[in-house]
Amino acid sequence: MSRRVFVVGVGMTKFEKPGRRENFDYPDMAKEAGTKALEDAGLNYNAIEQACDSTCGQRALYQLGMTGIPVYNVNNNCSTGSTALVMAKQLIQGGLADCYMDRVNPMDKHMEVMVETHGFEAGPPAAQMFGNAGREHMEKYGTKPEHFAKIAWKNHKHSTNNPYSQFQDYYTLEQILAAPKIHDPLTKLHPTSDGSAAAIVCSEDFVKKHNLEGQAVEILAMQMATDMPSAFADKSCIKMVGYDMSKKAADEVYKQSGMRPDDVQVVELHDCFSANELITYEALGLCPQGKGGDMVDRGDNTYGGKYVVNPSGGLISKGHPLGATGLAQCAELCWQLRGMAGKRQVSGAKVALQHNIGLGGAAVVGMYRLGFPQKAAQRLQAVPASMVAPESFKCNDIFNGIRQILEKDGASMVKKMNGVFCFQVKGEAGEGVWIVDCKNGTGSVKFGGPAKGDVTIMMTDQHLVDLLTGKLNPQTAFFNGKLKIKGNTALAMKLKDLKMPEGGVGTSAAPSNTGAGTGPKPGSEFKVAPDGANIVKKMKGVFCFRVKGDNGKEGIWIVDAKNGTGSVSFGGPDNDMLNLMSGKLNPQNAFFQGKLKIQGNMGLAMKLKEIQPKGQSKL
């Protein structure tokens, strides 16, 4: 009996115009995507038993580790990434491996069919192939150019919510229809992209051994088909661009999984051109043959309809770096099923369908579902529903800097800090979670996952950047409500030891002295400065200090910085109060340890530094 197969980690780079990032080539992309996939799974590269890549996998994967594992190179045109995924599934299903990592041109007969049926015109050959398939669909079924334009409009709209997308501009339907024609009925050809994606695929035993049930997405079925005789013999451009092999692969997947199209909520399919997306609706059985245009008109391909197709923006708008495309589809579907797709999340997504095609020729279709729904539900309760990509946040660069610190000196940091820090960050695109583990091994930094740690720090993106670079005082942030802390607050004080980039937390933190010595006599610290009139003018407030002494009795000080030239009235002694005012007790530590409680106007409390004795530590 074959074994169950799961995806437990996914990662990808932002898709972008080739050459946009200087000194960012194929190996760099592979390292970034592979590192993200390993972090997503919480695994070390040493756990990987076999790997698959496109064309030059050794060069790409050696940066993640040189452990002597087999590395297989795959090339299947646009379906290279999903072909590697098929290989990984088969190796694990057959018991040849427990954990596998995937990453990421013969067209003469295809051209012959096209030339015989529609001739050859000036323009990119690929656009002509798929454009002529669209023309054939219009001739046979009455489909109109507007249907293809609506698909492009839909995908561009979807991509505005995808931080990994190359094209995030919104276009109206009118703009798309009016765009320059590439090959009628297609307008505005999208260019090739640079980018990388990765997936970690493993067996059920591996999932359970590493406690990954909460994020494991099961590949229920996956099938690859190649060109059939009809691709050339029938002289049909629709079949030449892969209709029949897509249908064959899909039919086999439905049979293997026991699922039907009606069971699916979210689909990532190969829309290299809008014409191909419409044709693929029919090949996958999402609508009857010839009814793709009707499906578009009903809105059954977007939010609120029967299916959401290409929530990522698809190849049209997310981008299409050929070999990485299939794995990027896998990553998007895993995020959707985990409920971690942010603003593009498909409500109630439980079953997902993937389609990836490469001419000349292979079509890959896969069906996904959460492997352990109960465990996943528990995990999702701890994860913000609007989880987005780390690149969407300004603070991501700082966390990358912390990661570098741990890579250099992780062991000593773990020994010094001995804690797990959880950062819940609210940015413009949604919420993100970083887990900085300074408690286990040599430490690690991970984006995403359950929001659990020894201490949880909650801030907006910009405020966290300001805090971690020393521009925002932590005490001020706390009192102003910009910083919220749950859990071990004393542990939060250790963050300064990380010496984060651009100054870090420690540069603006208050003194760390938490001693509570005997201090001066009561009343000696409560002196309104000689220029009381100016202080009153500046502060305009009356401060009441209720103090509990060592003998259990309470005393009250009233500092009037509101009337006349100010005054102080005293009602009893207190060591903590004396130490606070003399600078021997750090006010932030006092607040976190429960020695200092404040009610009322927090902003006003921050003005107390104006009446502190000269030479003493400021509040």
Side-chain angles (χ1 to χ4, degrees):
M1 187 170 114
S2 62
R3 303 194 297 175
R4 296 173 73 189
V5 180
F6 303 86
V7 180
V8 295
V10 290
M12 61 183 289
T13 67
K14 177 177 172 58
F15 287 3
E16 48 197 350
K17 184 179 179 180
R20 186 181 181 106
R21 276 196 265 182
E22 192 175 349
N23 298 320
F24 188 67
D25 208 343
Y26 175 74
D28 306 296
M29 299 175 202
K31 182 180 180 182
E32 181 178 326
T35 299
K36 286 180 178 178
L38 289 167
E39 289 175 355
D40 183 37
L43 295 173
N44 186 284
Y45 187 71
N46 290 329
I48 306 300
E49 297 176 12
Q50 300 197 39
C52 186
D53 198 292
S54 63
T55 309
C56 47
Q58 285 83 351
R59 176 67 182 88
L61 295 173
Y62 279 178
Q63 297 179 106
L64 297 175
M66 298 178 67
T67 55
I69 62 171
V71 176
Y72 303 99
N73 293 305
V74 178
N75 192 335
N76 235 353
N77 261 346
C78 302
S79 61
T80 294
S82 52
T83 301
L85 205 54
V86 170
M87 284 184 61
K89 180 178 181 292
Q90 291 174 340
L91 286 166
I92 289 170
Q93 207 164 25
L96 297 178
D98 276 327
C99 188
Y100 194 99
M101 187 171 185
D102 298 334
R103 208 215 60 79
V104 132
N105 265 333
M107 303 284 295
D108 55 333
K109 291 187 177 295
H110 298 76
M111 291 295 294
E112 185 179 316
V113 170
M114 187 186 76
V115 170
E116 284 187 24
T117 55
H118 289 84
F120 187 81
E121 302 175 11
Q128 291 190 57
M129 288 182 184
F130 287 98
N132 288 333
R135 290 182 185 181
E136 183 178 320
H137 201 277
M138 292 167 66
E139 294 162 2
K140 282 186 176 181
Y141 306 114
T143 311
K144 300 183 181 304
E146 287 82 359
H147 291 120
F148 304 120
K150 284 180 180 179
I151 289 173
W153 168 77
K154 180 260 299 180
N155 287 349
H156 280 295
K157 184 178 180 181
H158 286 180
S159 75
T160 61
N161 291 321
N162 187 356
Y164 287 111
S165 176
Q166 179 177 355
F167 306 101
Q168 292 182 289
D169 294 330
Y170 175 77
Y171 296 97
T172 65
L173 183 60
E174 290 72 23
Q175 285 176 310
I176 291 171
L177 283 167
K181 276 196 168 49
I182 302 302
H183 183 79
D184 195 40
L186 304 179
T187 66
K188 200 169 186 180
L189 173 69
H190 73 278
T192 302
S193 310
D194 265 358
S196 180
I200 296 174
V201 187
C202 63
S203 67
E204 184 173 5
D205 288 342
F206 189 93
V207 169
K208 291 180 176 178
K209 179 181 177 182
H210 293 272
N211 299 315
L212 294 169
E213 294 97 324
Q215 65 193 74
V217 173
E218 184 172 6
I219 305 176
L220 294 174
M222 185 166 278
Q223 187 68 33
M224 181 171 69
T226 56
D227 287 313
M228 302 170 67
S230 57
F232 310 124
D234 289 7
K235 304 300 178 185
S236 162
C237 283
I238 290 176
K239 294 186 177 184
M240 179 265 289
V241 296
Y243 181 94
D244 283 352
M245 65 177 174
S246 293
K247 186 177 187 305
K248 176 179 173 61
D251 289 345
E252 187 61 29
V253 163
Y254 294 136
K255 180 180 176 181
Q256 290 176 11
S257 66
M259 297 283 182
R260 302 302 306 160
D262 288 348
D263 296 315
V264 174
Q265 293 81 40
V266 57
V267 183
E268 280 285 310
L269 60 77
H270 197 95
D271 62 317
C272 51
F273 299 94
S274 54
N276 195 51
E277 177 165 329
L278 187 144
I279 291 166
T280 304
Y281 295 159
E282 301 170 14
L284 297 179
L286 304 180
C287 68
Q289 189 169 5
K291 300 297 183 181
D294 293 343
M295 179 176 168
V296 172
D297 288 337
R298 289 194 306 271
D300 276 345
N301 59 352
T302 188
Y303 297 89
K306 187 174 182 180
Y307 311 99
V308 178
V309 180
N310 290 331
S312 67
L315 283 64
I316 286 175
S317 199
K318 176 187 64 185
H320 180 31
L322 301 184
T325 291
L327 290 167
Q329 292 177 326
C330 173
E332 176 66 24
L333 295 178
C334 286
W335 287 327
Q336 289 286 348
L337 293 173
R338 292 185 196 169
M340 294 172 60
K343 292 182 179 180
R344 64 189 188 282
Q345 181 63 50
V346 176
S347 179
K350 295 181 179 178
V351 179
L353 186 67
Q354 176 189 8
H355 166 268
N356 186 206
I357 195 169
L359 293 187
V364 176
V365 177
M367 186 81 74
Y368 299 81
R369 183 177 63 187
L370 285 173
F372 306 88
Q374 209 167 19
K375 294 277 189 179
Q378 295 171 5
R379 177 184 186 273
L380 288 173
Q381 288 174 3
V383 178
S386 57
M387 182 72 71
V388 293
E391 290 82 4
S392 304
F393 297 87
K394 299 173 184 176
C395 62
N396 186 52
D397 288 341
I398 293 177
F399 284 109
N400 286 337
I402 296 173
R403 184 180 288 112
Q404 292 172 12
I405 291 171
L406 293 176
E407 287 174 356
K408 291 179 181 177
D409 196 22
S412 64
M413 285 295 174
V414 167
K415 187 176 181 180
K416 183 187 295 185
M417 304 186 73
N418 192 32
V420 178
F421 301 83
C422 172
F423 293 85
Q424 285 187 278
V425 185
K426 186 172 286 188
E428 293 180 1
E431 286 191 12
V433 172
W434 276 266
I435 306 295
V436 179
D437 185 345
C438 291
K439 191 175 187 178
N440 302 293
T442 56
S444 64
V445 177
K446 177 183 176 183
F447 177 81
K452 292 182 179 180
D454 297 319
V455 59
T456 300
I457 296 162
M458 294 161 281
M459 298 189 79
T460 66
D461 189 15
Q462 186 59 57
H463 288 155
L464 183 59
V465 170
D466 291 343
L467 180 75
L468 297 183
T469 56
K471 296 177 182 177
L472 177 61
N473 182 286
Q475 181 184 0
T476 304
F478 190 90
F479 287 155
N480 289 344
K482 296 177 180 178
L483 166 64
K484 295 180 181 179
I485 298 176
K486 286 183 181 179
N488 187 342
T489 51
L491 185 61
M493 301 300 298
K494 292 185 178 182
L495 279 173
K496 63 180 181 292
D497 292 327
L498 276 174
K499 296 179 182 177
M500 298 179 195
E502 298 183 31
V505 171
T507 59
S508 63
S512 59
N513 185 347
T514 58
T518 57
K521 295 295 181 184
S524 63
E525 303 304 327
F526 281 100
K527 292 180 181 177
V528 178
D531 54 345
N534 288 332
I535 293 295
V536 168
K537 186 177 180 181
K538 185 184 294 185
M539 301 187 69
K540 296 180 181 177
V542 178
F543 301 84
C544 175
F545 296 87
R546 298 184 60 187
V547 183
K548 197 168 193 176
D550 293 338
N551 58 5
K553 294 182 179 181
E554 284 193 349
I556 296 177
W557 280 269
I558 303 295
V559 179
D560 185 348
K562 186 175 184 180
N563 303 293
T565 57
S567 64
V568 177
S569 58
F570 167 68
D574 179 78
N575 284 338
D576 283 341
M577 191 70 247
L578 295 173
N579 289 324
L580 179 69
M581 297 305 294
S582 66
K584 294 182 178 180
L585 176 59
N586 181 288
Q588 186 178 1
N589 288 350
F591 192 97
F592 289 160
Q593 293 167 9
K595 294 179 179 180
L596 166 63
K597 295 181 181 179
I598 299 176
Q599 291 181 345
N601 190 331
M602 295 290 184
L604 189 59
M606 299 305 298
K607 294 183 179 180
L608 276 171
K609 61 186 178 184
E610 300 294 339
I611 59 172
Q612 222 175 358
K614 297 293 182 182
Q616 302 290 357
S617 174
K618 295 289 186 182
L619 284 175

